[in-house]
Each structure stands twice: as C-alpha cells, then as structure tokens.
Amino acid sequence: MKLLVLGHLCVDGVHRGGKLIRERWGGIANAVAALGGLASPGDTIVPVCGVGGTEREAFLGWLGGFSAVDPAGVFPLEGPTNRIDLYEGPGAKDVACAQSVAPPVPYERIRKHLTADGILINMFSGADITIETLDQIRMEIRSRETPVHFDYHNLTTGISPERERVRRPLEDWRRWAFMLHSVQMNEEEAAGLALDRLTEDQLTGHLLTLGTGGVLITRGARGATLFTSEHKKIIRQDVPCAPVAGADTVIGLGDVFGAAFIHRYLATRDMGLAAAFAAGTAAAAAQAPDPGARPIA
C-alpha cells in the first residue's frame, strides 16, 4: 500500500513561564510518525512538503527513523520552515502564534506521487495547498477513485496582526469537500466553518450532499462522531475514546486520528471500523512519548 501525505511541515515551540521549554517536529510530521508506526511490511508512506534549508538535514534524519517512509517528496524551501509557538492561554488552552508560514505546496511537486492507493491532506497551516491544487488532484485521480481523507484543520483560521491564530468562517467550505471520500474537523472547527451558523446536523447534511462519503467530527476525550448517508438518510455513529490518564502528548492528536483513519480505511474499506481504530490510536498516542521531540535549536 502506498499512502501519499500532503501538508506543511512545522516546528512547534512550547513556552511555559515565559521560557521555551521544548521544540518538536509538528504539522505533517505528526501524521508521518503515526503512519510510520502503523505501517505493515510493503507499505510506503510518501510525505510531500517543503523544508527550510537550515532544517532539511535534521528533518531527513528524523524521517530516516521510519523504515516505511520514502522522503522523495520532501523538497527545499527558499524561506524558513513553518513555525508555531504555543503559549499558555486562558484555562488549559494554548494560544498558537504563527511565526512563519511557507507558501502552498505546488501541484507539480505533488503530481508525480499521485499513483498512490490513498491520499491524506491535512491543512496544518491553513495554506498547505490551494483550492486550485485540490481541484487538479481530484481531476487526476478521478478515474482511479483514489480515496482522499481531508482535514480542514487550520483552513478554518486566519492570522491576526499579533500573529495569533483566530477562528474565521470559510466562504468556499463546500468546494473544499466536494467529491472527497471523507473529511475531518473538530467541534470548534465545525461550529465556525460556515458563514451562516449551522448546527452539526445541518453542516454534515450539506457536506454529505456534495458527494462526500463520510464526515468525522472529533471531540477530544469524548471520542468522535462519524456521519454517513444511506439511502438519503444520515447515519450517525458515535465512537467512544478510551480513558486517558497522565497524557504525555496532547499536541497533534487530531493529526494522529486522521492518519490512523485513512490507514485503516484503506485496509478495510469500512469507515466505522476505521473511526474506532483512529480513536484508539489517538488515545494510545496521548500516553506515549512524543515522537516529534527534537533538541531546542
């Protein structure tokens, strides 16, 4: 099985008490690490992303720790790698500040890898690919009916003058989901996706009329919900999450969920089984050491 992964690489900096306490490979690295751990003999994971010149050697070295990963899609950027710094915010929620955002991945960097059995697209930065590139991907793979799993993620945010990520609705949210096998978002992303305030039922109803096979809404410790359509009737399947105590890693668990979902879906062609597997994989990842940890630069 060959699985193509599209999105931006990111360096995450975690700040506590006014100090940078750790750095990690984030963005597409979250999905690659999850897939690298799930891969069976014969699987090939192909990430397509740009890396800033000063980060390239270190990132390729990190990728070398996953035997199933083919780094052929990693290309050099003229500018810096994406960087997100996470600061303590109100309550237990971090405030994410985007220090640099790379240009979208060009279609020409993607096209030669589209002979994959499945494609995972995660909008880690919100500018990972353009809608025109997604349209080109759809056209190229249409005859092969290649499954595509799409995570809206930071497509639902903008960047304030203070560089903070802020929620904002997406005018062309329908176009992004058109004719994809499955789409994913969390509860907050779903609530703010459309210009008109839609309930979850209304939103998922709209998405499922666009030829989307399944809509996944993740709910953190409460698991996730899978919405599908059968004979024009919306079917809801709530997927519980195993209790997690003493979580070591919380950053990127939605990315782990999406990676595990598409991996298991390609093996079973059953979205319900894939969603349950994804929830369990994300819960296990929360209690494991962070695979993206790196020395502070």
Side-chain angles (χ1 to χ4, degrees), residues 158 195 223 278 284:
L195 290 169

PDB file of all heavy atoms in Angstrom, residues 158 195 223 278 284:
ATOM      1  N   GLY A 158      -7.463  32.205  10.576  1.00  0.00           N
ATOM      2  CA  GLY A 158      -6.610  33.212   9.957  1.00  0.00           C
ATOM      3  C   GLY A 158      -5.554  33.620  10.958  1.00  0.00           C
ATOM      4  O   GLY A 158      -5.472  33.071  12.066  1.00  0.00           O
ATOM      5  N   LEU A 195     -20.286  30.518   6.918  1.00  0.00           N
ATOM      6  CA  LEU A 195     -20.662  31.907   7.189  1.00  0.00           C
ATOM      7  C   LEU A 195     -21.963  31.970   7.978  1.00  0.00           C
ATOM      8  O   LEU A 195     -22.108  32.762   8.905  1.00  0.00           O
ATOM      9  CB  LEU A 195     -20.813  32.670   5.877  1.00  0.00           C
ATOM     10  CG  LEU A 195     -19.510  32.956   5.110  1.00  0.00           C
ATOM     11  CD1 LEU A 195     -19.825  33.476   3.722  1.00  0.00           C
ATOM     12  CD2 LEU A 195     -18.660  33.963   5.863  1.00  0.00           C
ATOM     13  N   GLY A 223     -14.139  11.251  22.259  1.00  0.00           N
ATOM     14  CA  GLY A 223     -14.129  10.427  21.067  1.00  0.00           C
ATOM     15  C   GLY A 223     -14.419  11.208  19.797  1.00  0.00           C
ATOM     16  O   GLY A 223     -13.904  12.307  19.596  1.00  0.00           O
ATOM     17  N   ALA A 278      -9.056   4.704  14.735  1.00  0.00           N
ATOM     18  CA  ALA A 278      -8.407   6.009  14.838  1.00  0.00           C
ATOM     19  C   ALA A 278      -8.523   6.575  16.249  1.00  0.00           C
ATOM     20  O   ALA A 278      -7.561   7.138  16.789  1.00  0.00           O
ATOM     21  CB  ALA A 278      -9.018   6.974  13.826  1.00  0.00           C
ATOM     22  N   ALA A 284      -3.927   6.108  22.482  1.00  0.00           N
ATOM     23  CA  ALA A 284      -2.638   5.485  22.812  1.00  0.00           C
ATOM     24  C   ALA A 284      -1.493   6.473  22.618  1.00  0.00           C
ATOM     25  O   ALA A 284      -0.550   6.524  23.422  1.00  0.00           O
ATOM     26  CB  ALA A 284      -2.426   4.247  21.942  1.00  0.00           C
TER      27      ALA A 284
END
